[in-house]
PDB file of all heavy atoms in Angstrom:
ATOM      1  N   LEU A1112      -8.162  -2.778 -20.490  1.00 87.00           N
ATOM      2  CA  LEU A1112      -9.153  -2.340 -19.598  1.00 87.00           C
ATOM      3  C   LEU A1112      -9.808  -3.445 -18.702  1.00 87.00           C
ATOM      4  O   LEU A1112      -9.996  -3.313 -17.474  1.00 87.00           O
ATOM      5  CB  LEU A1112     -10.316  -1.622 -20.366  1.00 87.00           C
ATOM      6  CG  LEU A1112     -11.374  -0.866 -19.533  1.00 87.00           C
ATOM      7  CD1 LEU A1112     -11.857   0.379 -20.265  1.00 87.00           C
ATOM      8  CD2 LEU A1112     -12.618  -1.743 -19.274  1.00 87.00           C
ATOM      9  N   ALA A1113     -10.156  -4.549 -19.326  1.00 90.00           N
ATOM     10  CA  ALA A1113     -10.712  -5.713 -18.631  1.00 90.00           C
ATOM     11  C   ALA A1113      -9.723  -6.175 -17.546  1.00 90.00           C
ATOM     12  O   ALA A1113     -10.039  -6.576 -16.414  1.00 90.00           O
ATOM     13  CB  ALA A1113     -11.054  -6.805 -19.577  1.00 90.00           C
ATOM     14  N   TRP A1114      -8.415  -6.288 -17.919  1.00 93.00           N
ATOM     15  CA  TRP A1114      -7.390  -6.773 -16.963  1.00 93.00           C
ATOM     16  C   TRP A1114      -7.278  -5.793 -15.791  1.00 93.00           C
ATOM     17  O   TRP A1114      -7.250  -6.229 -14.685  1.00 93.00           O
ATOM     18  CB  TRP A1114      -6.011  -6.876 -17.659  1.00 93.00           C
ATOM     19  CG  TRP A1114      -4.937  -7.341 -16.788  1.00 93.00           C
ATOM     20  CD1 TRP A1114      -4.599  -8.635 -16.500  1.00 93.00           C
ATOM     21  CD2 TRP A1114      -3.968  -6.508 -16.069  1.00 93.00           C
ATOM     22  NE1 TRP A1114      -3.523  -8.637 -15.671  1.00 93.00           N
ATOM     23  CE2 TRP A1114      -3.132  -7.348 -15.353  1.00 93.00           C
ATOM     24  CE3 TRP A1114      -3.809  -5.152 -15.969  1.00 93.00           C
ATOM     25  CZ2 TRP A1114      -2.113  -6.872 -14.542  1.00 93.00           C
ATOM     26  CZ3 TRP A1114      -2.758  -4.682 -15.103  1.00 93.00           C
ATOM     27  CH2 TRP A1114      -1.940  -5.551 -14.468  1.00 93.00           C
ATOM     28  N   HIS A1115      -7.226  -4.504 -16.121  1.00 94.00           N
ATOM     29  CA  HIS A1115      -7.126  -3.532 -15.043  1.00 94.00           C
ATOM     30  C   HIS A1115      -8.302  -3.504 -14.081  1.00 94.00           C
ATOM     31  O   HIS A1115      -8.147  -3.431 -12.882  1.00 94.00           O
ATOM     32  CB  HIS A1115      -6.864  -2.129 -15.657  1.00 94.00           C
ATOM     33  CG  HIS A1115      -6.313  -1.164 -14.700  1.00 94.00           C
ATOM     34  ND1 HIS A1115      -5.807   0.092 -15.155  1.00 94.00           N
ATOM     35  CD2 HIS A1115      -6.003  -1.160 -13.364  1.00 94.00           C
ATOM     36  CE1 HIS A1115      -5.320   0.731 -14.157  1.00 94.00           C
ATOM     37  NE2 HIS A1115      -5.418  -0.046 -13.104  1.00 94.00           N
ATOM     38  N   LEU A1116      -9.499  -3.596 -14.722  1.00 95.00           N
ATOM     39  CA  LEU A1116     -10.711  -3.638 -13.891  1.00 95.00           C
ATOM     40  C   LEU A1116     -10.717  -4.893 -12.991  1.00 95.00           C
ATOM     41  O   LEU A1116     -11.154  -4.817 -11.829  1.00 95.00           O
ATOM     42  CB  LEU A1116     -11.946  -3.607 -14.790  1.00 95.00           C
ATOM     43  CG  LEU A1116     -13.279  -3.612 -14.057  1.00 95.00           C
ATOM     44  CD1 LEU A1116     -13.472  -2.344 -13.297  1.00 95.00           C
ATOM     45  CD2 LEU A1116     -14.428  -3.689 -15.055  1.00 95.00           C
ATOM     46  N   ALA A1117     -10.306  -6.000 -13.529  1.00 95.00           N
ATOM     47  CA  ALA A1117     -10.278  -7.248 -12.732  1.00 95.00           C
ATOM     48  C   ALA A1117      -9.285  -7.071 -11.592  1.00 95.00           C
ATOM     49  O   ALA A1117      -9.535  -7.609 -10.454  1.00 95.00           O
ATOM     50  CB  ALA A1117      -9.798  -8.408 -13.576  1.00 95.00           C
ATOM     51  N   MET A1118      -8.150  -6.409 -11.813  1.00 96.00           N
ATOM     52  CA  MET A1118      -7.169  -6.181 -10.726  1.00 96.00           C
ATOM     53  C   MET A1118      -7.798  -5.381  -9.556  1.00 96.00           C
ATOM     54  O   MET A1118      -7.457  -5.538  -8.390  1.00 96.00           O
ATOM     55  CB  MET A1118      -5.936  -5.498 -11.290  1.00 96.00           C
ATOM     56  CG  MET A1118      -5.079  -6.343 -12.166  1.00 96.00           C
ATOM     57  SD  MET A1118      -4.407  -7.852 -11.416  1.00 96.00           S
ATOM     58  CE  MET A1118      -5.555  -9.072 -12.042  1.00 96.00           C
ATOM     59  N   ILE A1119      -8.700  -4.412  -9.943  1.00 97.00           N
ATOM     60  CA  ILE A1119      -9.287  -3.545  -8.901  1.00 97.00           C
ATOM     61  C   ILE A1119     -10.424  -4.289  -8.193  1.00 97.00           C
ATOM     62  O   ILE A1119     -10.483  -4.275  -6.977  1.00 97.00           O
ATOM     63  CB  ILE A1119      -9.705  -2.166  -9.565  1.00 97.00           C
ATOM     64  CG1 ILE A1119      -8.518  -1.440 -10.137  1.00 97.00           C
ATOM     65  CG2 ILE A1119     -10.411  -1.391  -8.569  1.00 97.00           C
ATOM     66  CD1 ILE A1119      -8.899  -0.205 -10.913  1.00 97.00           C
ATOM     67  N   LEU A1120     -11.376  -4.817  -9.043  1.00 97.00           N
ATOM     68  CA  LEU A1120     -12.593  -5.396  -8.447  1.00 97.00           C
ATOM     69  C   LEU A1120     -12.293  -6.741  -7.744  1.00 97.00           C
ATOM     70  O   LEU A1120     -13.053  -7.140  -6.828  1.00 97.00           O
ATOM     71  CB  LEU A1120     -13.615  -5.540  -9.531  1.00 97.00           C
ATOM     72  CG  LEU A1120     -14.142  -4.264 -10.111  1.00 97.00           C
ATOM     73  CD1 LEU A1120     -15.269  -4.639 -11.086  1.00 97.00           C
ATOM     74  CD2 LEU A1120     -14.615  -3.279  -9.100  1.00 97.00           C
ATOM     75  N   LEU A1121     -11.303  -7.504  -8.171  1.00 96.00           N
ATOM     76  CA  LEU A1121     -11.043  -8.793  -7.659  1.00 96.00           C
ATOM     77  C   LEU A1121      -9.839  -8.907  -6.805  1.00 96.00           C
ATOM     78  O   LEU A1121      -9.245  -9.981  -6.631  1.00 96.00           O
ATOM     79  CB  LEU A1121     -10.993  -9.884  -8.818  1.00 96.00           C
ATOM     80  CG  LEU A1121     -12.291 -10.131  -9.498  1.00 96.00           C
ATOM     81  CD1 LEU A1121     -12.127 -10.807 -10.913  1.00 96.00           C
ATOM     82  CD2 LEU A1121     -13.155 -11.059  -8.609  1.00 96.00           C
ATOM     83  N   ASN A1122      -9.482  -7.769  -6.196  1.00 96.00           N
ATOM     84  CA  ASN A1122      -8.375  -7.765  -5.258  1.00 96.00           C
ATOM     85  C   ASN A1122      -8.703  -8.658  -4.132  1.00 96.00           C
ATOM     86  O   ASN A1122      -9.680  -8.343  -3.402  1.00 96.00           O
ATOM     87  CB  ASN A1122      -8.019  -6.362  -4.858  1.00 96.00           C
ATOM     88  CG  ASN A1122      -6.715  -6.273  -4.060  1.00 96.00           C
ATOM     89  OD1 ASN A1122      -6.628  -6.704  -2.929  1.00 96.00           O
ATOM     90  ND2 ASN A1122      -5.707  -5.829  -4.778  1.00 96.00           N
ATOM     91  N   PRO A1123      -7.935  -9.696  -3.831  1.00 97.00           N
ATOM     92  CA  PRO A1123      -8.298 -10.633  -2.774  1.00 97.00           C
ATOM     93  C   PRO A1123      -8.396 -10.005  -1.426  1.00 97.00           C
ATOM     94  O   PRO A1123      -9.169 -10.471  -0.518  1.00 97.00           O
ATOM     95  CB  PRO A1123      -7.191 -11.715  -2.825  1.00 97.00           C
ATOM     96  CG  PRO A1123      -6.101 -11.083  -3.503  1.00 97.00           C
ATOM     97  CD  PRO A1123      -6.687 -10.093  -4.470  1.00 97.00           C
ATOM     98  N   CYS A1124      -7.538  -9.022  -1.070  1.00 96.00           N
ATOM     99  CA  CYS A1124      -7.540  -8.425   0.255  1.00 96.00           C
ATOM    100  C   CYS A1124      -8.854  -7.740   0.455  1.00 96.00           C
ATOM    101  O   CYS A1124      -9.466  -7.974   1.589  1.00 96.00           O
ATOM    102  CB  CYS A1124      -6.362  -7.383   0.305  1.00 96.00           C
ATOM    103  SG  CYS A1124      -4.767  -8.119   0.053  1.00 96.00           S
ATOM    104  N   LEU A1125      -9.351  -6.908  -0.368  1.00 96.00           N
ATOM    105  CA  LEU A1125     -10.606  -6.182  -0.208  1.00 96.00           C
ATOM    106  C   LEU A1125     -11.829  -7.209  -0.142  1.00 96.00           C
ATOM    107  O   LEU A1125     -12.671  -7.085   0.768  1.00 96.00           O
ATOM    108  CB  LEU A1125     -10.857  -5.234  -1.267  1.00 96.00           C
ATOM    109  CG  LEU A1125     -12.155  -4.428  -1.261  1.00 96.00           C
ATOM    110  CD1 LEU A1125     -12.308  -3.613   0.111  1.00 96.00           C
ATOM    111  CD2 LEU A1125     -12.242  -3.428  -2.430  1.00 96.00           C
ATOM    112  N   VAL A1126     -11.823  -8.190  -0.990  1.00 97.00           N
ATOM    113  CA  VAL A1126     -12.929  -9.162  -1.071  1.00 97.00           C
ATOM    114  C   VAL A1126     -13.006  -9.923   0.271  1.00 97.00           C
ATOM    115  O   VAL A1126     -14.029 -10.157   0.840  1.00 97.00           O
ATOM    116  CB  VAL A1126     -12.813 -10.103  -2.285  1.00 97.00           C
ATOM    117  CG1 VAL A1126     -13.894 -11.170  -2.201  1.00 97.00           C
ATOM    118  CG2 VAL A1126     -12.895  -9.301  -3.559  1.00 97.00           C
TER     119      VAL A1126
END
Side-chain angles (χ1 to χ4, degrees):
L1112 186 146
W1114 180 86
H1115 201 169
L1116 182 62
M1118 292 297 100
I1119 296 174
L1120 296 185
L1121 287 162
N1122 189 287
C1124 299
L1125 178 60
V1126 175

